[in-house]
Amino acid sequence: MPLENTLLKQDYYHVWHPYSAIQADTPIYPVQSAQGVYITLTDGRVLIDGMSSWWSAIHGYNHPVLNQAINAQLDDMAHIMFGGLTHQPAVDLAMQLVEITPEPLQAVFFADSGSVAVDVAMKMAVQYWYSKKQADKNKFLTIRHGYHGDTFAAMSVSDPDNGMHSLFSNSLIKQFFADAPDCTFAEPCTTKDTAPLEHQLKHHHAQIAAIILEPIVQGAGGMRFYSPEYLKQVRTLCTKYNVLLILDEIATGFGRTGKLFACEHANITPDILCLGKALTGGYMTLAATLASQNIADTIRNGEPGLFMHGPTFMANPLACATALASLKLLLNSPWQATVGNIEQKLSSGLQVCQQYSHVKDVRVIGAIGVIELYQPVDLKTLQPKFVDAGVWVRPFNKLIYLMPPFIISDAELSSLIDAVCTVVAEIEH
Ligand SMILES: *Cc1c(COP(=O)(O)O)cnc(C)c1O
């Protein structure tokens, strides 16, 4: 690759990117700035963002209200330790999250990233059973094609075969896996779908602390959408076999699937809920793990009586203040209509791709559009084609997918969809 650009040269030799190598031969694009749905590269090219910086920038970039929230908080303090101290942004955000999530969830733990929020959820489940003197319940059950993050505990419940983590399998805690359901979002769920999960529960419930799942949309593990009826059945099975239910809404939370939280499609309540990604509107890293009052009480009343986790940057005030402003923006907007409109445009616009023989499936839910191919894409050749077409889309494996910022206009969305369909039509196969 031509490396006359100093920034690119230094990046190439010294900086790791997500799931990448030092001196990688895949292209990297230096960004000058971002505004609304537009990303401006240092060479002056302007791209329409189709990724929301991995589900998070739901209000677009450089939003005046979010900028103002950070600036105002900066005048008071950027950070303060959370051990023995508290502050208004953290308490206000916790109250707000408790209010908008299902009723039993009352206790909020602020974590630094989604993966950590998942690790925290798993530790909470283990400590809950330990406190109840059932310490044998310390394993987890999940379904295949899941993705829960890159830390060790999160990896242990992510799909064991999809290649993201398989090389670490010997270092991971062995958990229980069941086949994911075949029923798609619109289909009914049959006993064939639930049987593998129930089989594992029947045999291993005495060792299982919790089931952990992404509700309705399995994200980075395959962008699969499954039936709300399945999620309902999972809730029933958890209660029947006395295991907790952890829902990972790090990707699906805050309106992305058309409901504020994807578990609302099934009208069910988890015992523990993980949030992240869009929590701060994509401004900075913050995640949260919410637990039911029952879990909080059980941990307090057990041994050692304290929940054993505490990050240095827990409940960072800048992040909490931004998250509060982002939530207010979302909840005061007609977000259901907005996401419904994006859903409709994605559904009609991406449909043309279905005719190509190299396209296996096109599916849409809420503000998520997926084109699944038969063969993995060659990122090295495909990425520049998207950039040349004026859009920022980051495919992985066999999946080309869109999850634009909610503020995208109809005209911008059509340009994005047209560009993607044109590039997909030209993929060599
Ligand atoms: C992205 C993601 C995570 C991990 O979050 P990070 O902030 O990247 O650590 C966990 N679960 C799901 C469902 C995700 O989409």
Side-chain angles (χ1 to χ4, degrees), residues 113-115 147-149 214 248 250-251 277:
S113 71
S115 302
Y147 175 77
H148 296 286
E214 297 154 278
D248 177 350
I250 290 165
K277 289 203 162 102

Side-chain angles (χ1 to χ4, degrees), residues 124 127-128 131 294-302 305-307:
M124 270 179 196
Q127 196 172 330
Y128 169 83
S131 301
N294 174 38
I295 290 176
D297 289 343
T298 304
I299 288 176
R300 184 186 64 250
N301 295 326
L306 315 166
F307 177 57

Side-chain angles (χ1 to χ4, degrees), residues 143 145 179-196 218 224-227 230:
I143 55 176
H145 305 294
D179 284 341
D182 285 327
C183 48
T184 61
F185 182 73
E187 288 173 350
C189 157
T190 66
T191 49
K192 199 176 121 278
D193 295 305
T194 52
Q218 294 187 289
R224 294 162 49 100
F225 313 155
Y226 65 81
S227 168
Y230 178 80

